[in-house]
Amino acid sequence: MDPRANAPSSIVEWTEAEKYQNSFLIDEEDDTLEFILKNSISHGLPSHMPVSAGEGKFLNLLIKCLGVKRVLEVGTLGGYSAIWMARAIPEDGKLVTLELNETYAQVAKENIVQAGLGDKCQIIVGPAHETMTNLQPEIPFDMVFIDADKKSYPKYFREAKRLVKKGGVIIVDNVIRYGNVHDESVNDENTVGIRKLLAELKEDSSKGEIEATTIPTVGEKGFDGFLYAIRK
Ligand code: DHB
Ligand code: MG
């Protein structure tokens, strides 16, 4: 076996690896995304929360390969992931994104317009669970991306199941949280929220309603994971 196979590694190394990969695969002179990240920081939005460029592009590619037209996002922040996703959505598609914080929503709107995606995206300001409960879309969503307060993940996921079409995809960010989720001595409400979601997913899958898997990730955002679920 390669001597490095079982060696400990660190966020420094993960970040280097990610940067190296991105230098071949992701446009590093994307002025729009650069503007958006800077604009978000200058308005005081947290910089450690948006998805990484690689994750944004992964969502973008998924939308293209699955032929997704309608996306629901829970947690807009500054619109970074929304922009990656909306770029892949065809002209007759739509992204609806939910944000609690009015300042974040205002910055996201500015960013989305700057990206030329204002017509494809709708931001709904308010508590996401309430908004989701009130949504009665004529056509269900093809994909839901959940990336908001982790304590509410179980209830977001329950609504996402209702709002996504059969065969549709629900993706959930941050399901490992630096290893906190599987360390049962950690019991903050966000970590507990993700644990509850996993327990509910186990039940959903035993009832044949959901099939899901987690892809653990390491990189500039630390040790975390993307959960990928399909509604059956
Ligand atoms: C946090 C939230 C996120 O969605 C994320 O991707 C990283 C960190 C946070 O709340 O700290
Ligand atoms: Mg996240």
Side-chain angles (χ1 to χ4, degrees), residues 157-174:
F157 196 89
R158 270 176 242 137
E159 283 305 307
K161 274 193 296 179
R162 181 180 70 79
L163 292 164
V164 80
K165 70 179 182 187
K166 266 186 195 268
V169 180
I170 305 172
I171 295 175
V172 187
D173 194 25
N174 309 115

Side-chain angles (χ1 to χ4, degrees), residues 49 51 147 150 153 173-174 221:
M49 285 191 191
V51 297
D147 189 14
K150 319 306 169 202
Y153 270 17
D173 194 25
N174 309 115
K221 291 194 65 182

Side-chain angles (χ1 to χ4, degrees), residues 132-215:
M132 291 176 95
T133 310
N134 290 331
L135 285 178
Q136 302 288 346
E138 274 171 34
I139 312 166
F141 291 93
D142 304 312
M143 181 187 283
V144 182
F145 177 51
I146 301 176
D147 189 14
D149 61 305
K150 319 306 169 202
K151 66 178 183 305
S152 307
Y153 270 17
K155 56 186 192 181
Y156 295 154
F157 196 89
R158 270 176 242 137
E159 283 305 307
K161 274 193 296 179
R162 181 180 70 79
L163 292 164
V164 80
K165 70 179 182 187
K166 266 186 195 268
V169 180
I170 305 172
I171 295 175
V172 187
D173 194 25
N174 309 115
V175 296
I176 291 181
R177 281 178 66 85
Y178 324 113
N180 285 333
V181 173
H182 69 277
D183 177 350
E184 295 200 351
S185 69
V186 181
N187 284 300
D188 64 89
E189 58 185 2
N190 289 317
T191 304
V192 169
I194 293 168
R195 240 173 250 147
K196 278 195 184 140
L197 170 66
L198 291 169
E200 290 191 19
L201 282 167
K202 187 168 182 172
E203 274 187 36
D204 289 347
S205 99
S206 72
K207 287 188 277 183
E209 292 175 2
I210 288 285
E211 276 186 293
T213 188
T214 289
I215 305 296

Side-chain angles (χ1 to χ4, degrees), residues 9-11 13-15 17-18 52 55 215-225:
S9 63
S10 68
I11 190 164
E13 213 170 343
W14 308 337
T15 304
E18 192 173 32
S52 66
E55 288 163 342
I215 305 296
T217 57
V218 292
E220 62 174 355
K221 291 194 65 182
F223 172 33
D224 220 317

Side-chain angles (χ1 to χ4, degrees), residues 7-230:
S9 63
S10 68
I11 190 164
V12 175
E13 213 170 343
W14 308 337
T15 304
E16 277 173 12
E18 192 173 32
K19 278 201 177 128
Y20 185 80
Q21 298 285 322
N22 288 353
S23 73
F24 294 94
L25 306 175
I26 299 184
D27 178 9
E28 291 175 294
E29 279 157 30
D30 189 323
D31 296 338
T32 306
L33 291 180
E34 211 172 292
F35 166 86
I36 283 155
L37 289 173
K38 280 199 189 129
N39 191 39
S40 299
I41 291 168
S42 73
H43 283 88
L45 273 59
S47 61
H48 69 288
M49 285 191 191
V51 297
S52 66
E55 288 163 342
K57 186 155 181 191
F58 178 72
L59 294 169
N60 176 292
L61 295 179
L62 264 184
I63 287 169
K64 286 176 184 155
C65 75
L66 297 173
V68 165
K69 284 191 176 178
R70 295 168 50 80
V71 177
L72 175 65
E73 179 181 56
V74 184
T76 314
L77 199 64
Y80 182 78
S81 45
I83 287 164
W84 268 114
M85 291 192 282
R87 281 176 166 181
I89 294 173
E91 286 310 315
D92 60 341
K94 189 175 179 185
L95 179 135
V96 178
T97 181
L98 315 183
E99 178 54 56
L100 176 64
N101 183 303
E102 282 182 26
T103 308
Y104 294 4
Q106 193 52 45
V107 175
K109 186 165 185 198
E110 214 174 285
N111 287 341
I112 287 167
V113 168
Q114 172 73 26
L117 296 162
D119 293 340
K120 236 188 256 179
C121 301
Q122 179 189 5
I123 306 174
I124 306 178
V125 184
H129 183 247
E130 211 177 293
T131 306
M132 291 176 95
T133 310
N134 290 331
L135 285 178
Q136 302 288 346
E138 274 171 34
I139 312 166
F141 291 93
D142 304 312
M143 181 187 283
V144 182
F145 177 51
I146 301 176
D147 189 14
D149 61 305
K150 319 306 169 202
K151 66 178 183 305
S152 307
Y153 270 17
K155 56 186 192 181
Y156 295 154
F157 196 89
R158 270 176 242 137
E159 283 305 307
K161 274 193 296 179
R162 181 180 70 79
L163 292 164
V164 80
K165 70 179 182 187
K166 266 186 195 268
V169 180
I170 305 172
I171 295 175
V172 187
D173 194 25
N174 309 115
V175 296
I176 291 181
R177 281 178 66 85
Y178 324 113
N180 285 333
V181 173
H182 69 277
D183 177 350
E184 295 200 351
S185 69
V186 181
N187 284 300
D188 64 89
E189 58 185 2
N190 289 317
T191 304
V192 169
I194 293 168
R195 240 173 250 147
K196 278 195 184 140
L197 170 66
L198 291 169
E200 290 191 19
L201 282 167
K202 187 168 182 172
E203 274 187 36
D204 289 347
S205 99
S206 72
K207 287 188 277 183
E209 292 175 2
I210 288 285
E211 276 186 293
T213 188
T214 289
I215 305 296
T217 57
V218 292
E220 62 174 355
K221 291 194 65 182
F223 172 33
D224 220 317
F226 244 34
L227 186 135
Y228 182 99
I230 56 171

